[in-house]
Amino acid sequence: MNRPRVIERIIESVPTSDGAGVKLRRSLGQQASDALRLDPFLMLDEFYSDRPDDYIAGFPPHPHRGFETVTYMLDGRMQHRDHLGNTGDLGPGGVQWMTAGRGVIHSEMPQQSEGRMRGFQLWINLPAAEKMKPAGYRDIPSDAIPELELDGARVRVIAGRLALDGQTAAGPVNGDTDRRSTDPLYLDLHLEPSSTIDVPVAEGYSAFAYLYEGAASIGGQALGLRSAGVLDNGDLVRVRSGSEGARLLLLAARPIGEPVAQYGPFVMNTREELEQAVADYRGGRLTAR
Ligand code: MN
């Protein structure tokens, strides 16, 4: 390992709202433009508030087609319900991995009326060959997410595999448990003050980091708080925390390399497929098997 990745561009998050008025910060995907995405990552939202008015209305029933949504909670609780009858109660540290495939209609509703709600929703694209597969859903409790305890750092492995300092961990979503061609790596890094960690990341994979607490640099370049740093190619990511420590997400995946056509919650390859998705949804056929 000797090719450290550096920050190629920074996508600062902007405040926005979605669902029934949930306030959040969006970095990737703030516009439906390839310049603000990183194939296969379509969008990253961070929600963070102590004020119930900012989140309590949640995300009432809505559709998706053609990609995956991954929700990672840090604080608070969210309940998922979908047209297949799945319900999941997502608690602190837990993950909901939802594969919309040809169609899902679900709601994501906060299960608390006070206190802090904090977490992330990531959208990962699917290749044409997988966009119309049956919908899938996994509820992953916090204690099913392995952690590596390293010198000066703790790493939660949500997806993919990590080998570091003689330790290895496989996240609950990995190439063996459920094969997906994007092969995502999803890590949550907690660094103690002034610590350095070298994280191996597959060469050729798209990768970015999102700093959500503290201060950190990657490859010697500072990454602003609540910003996504898109990384160039290489086989490792060198993260250094500032004097107050740092918490950040590190994501990597195999790019798909296909055209992306998006209309709100539908992400396909062509405009015609989007029109079909809208027609299917209006006609009650979005989720038909
Ligand atoms: Mn949704």
Side-chain angles (χ1 to χ4, degrees):
M1 290 193 289
N2 51 16
R3 285 191 57 195
R5 292 176 182 243
V6 298
I7 298 173
E8 193 173 65
R9 61 193 160 109
I10 286 180
I11 302 176
E12 289 177 22
S13 65
V14 294
T16 184
S17 69
D18 207 340
V22 178
K23 290 207 171 69
L24 46 83
R25 294 192 71 101
R26 182 164 294 165
S27 49
L28 267 66
Q30 55 194 258
Q31 291 166 27
S33 137
D34 287 343
L36 293 169
R37 298 182 183 123
L38 178 65
D39 181 19
F41 299 110
L42 298 164
M43 193 185 86
L44 179 67
D45 284 347
E46 176 185 7
F47 43 96
Y48 178 86
S49 181
D50 299 318
R51 294 194 304 267
D53 285 353
D54 288 348
Y55 61 77
I56 200 68
F59 301 86
H62 60 276
H64 294 286
R65 173 178 279 182
F67 62 102
E68 304 190 274
T69 71
V70 183
T71 308
Y72 177 34
M73 294 298 285
L74 297 176
D75 297 300
R77 305 196 78 85
M78 189 92 89
Q79 186 178 65
H80 158 105
R81 282 177 187 274
D82 68 28
H83 73 282
L84 296 168
N86 294 311
T87 60
D89 182 19
L90 193 57
V95 168
Q96 178 209 290
W97 200 292
M98 199 279 295
T99 304
R102 67 163 294 124
V104 73
I105 297 173
H106 73 166
S107 61
E108 298 152 289
M109 301 301 288
Q111 291 301 294
Q112 60 185 55
S113 55
E114 55 186 36
R116 177 173 295 176
M117 178 73 74
R118 186 186 193 195
F120 305 94
Q121 187 168 92
L122 175 73
W123 289 13
I124 308 176
N125 206 0
L126 288 168
E130 295 172 39
K131 282 186 178 296
M132 296 298 275
K133 70 182 181 182
Y137 169 79
R138 280 189 68 189
D139 213 11
I140 301 165
S142 184
D143 61 12
I145 296 172
E147 297 184 0
L148 292 188
E149 294 286 350
L150 305 159
D151 188 25
R154 187 161 64 90
V155 182
R156 308 195 81 215
V157 184
I158 294 165
R161 293 170 184 286
L162 183 63
L164 209 52
D165 290 353
Q167 300 182 52
T168 60
V173 171
N174 65 64
D176 292 337
T177 56
D178 35 3
R179 189 160 294 280
R180 42 172 62 67
S181 52
T182 51
D183 188 30
L185 176 73
Y186 190 155
L187 307 176
D188 181 11
L189 311 179
H190 302 195
L191 273 71
E192 291 167 17
S194 307
S195 299
T196 302
I197 180 173
D198 280 352
V199 183
V201 171
E203 197 152 4
Y205 278 30
S206 298
F208 75 98
Y210 182 84
L211 180 69
Y212 66 91
E213 210 174 285
S217 64
I218 292 182
Q221 299 160 273
L223 178 61
L225 187 62
R226 307 218 146 86
S227 290
V230 174
L231 307 177
D232 73 349
N233 201 4
D235 59 8
L236 74 86
V237 178
R238 177 163 296 162
V239 186
R240 179 155 181 85
S241 60
S243 56
E244 72 258 51
R247 293 181 64 171
L248 60 159
L249 306 181
L250 179 60
L251 290 138
R254 185 184 290 130
I256 293 172
E258 296 175 359
V260 177
Q262 178 173 2
Y263 178 71
F266 306 126
V267 182
M268 305 301 289
N269 296 107
T270 67
R271 186 184 167 85
E272 291 68 33
E273 290 164 347
L274 289 179
E275 287 167 359
Q276 187 64 53
V278 171
D280 286 351
Y281 181 50
R282 291 190 178 144
R285 296 181 302 273
L286 186 80
T287 63
R289 273 174 280 187

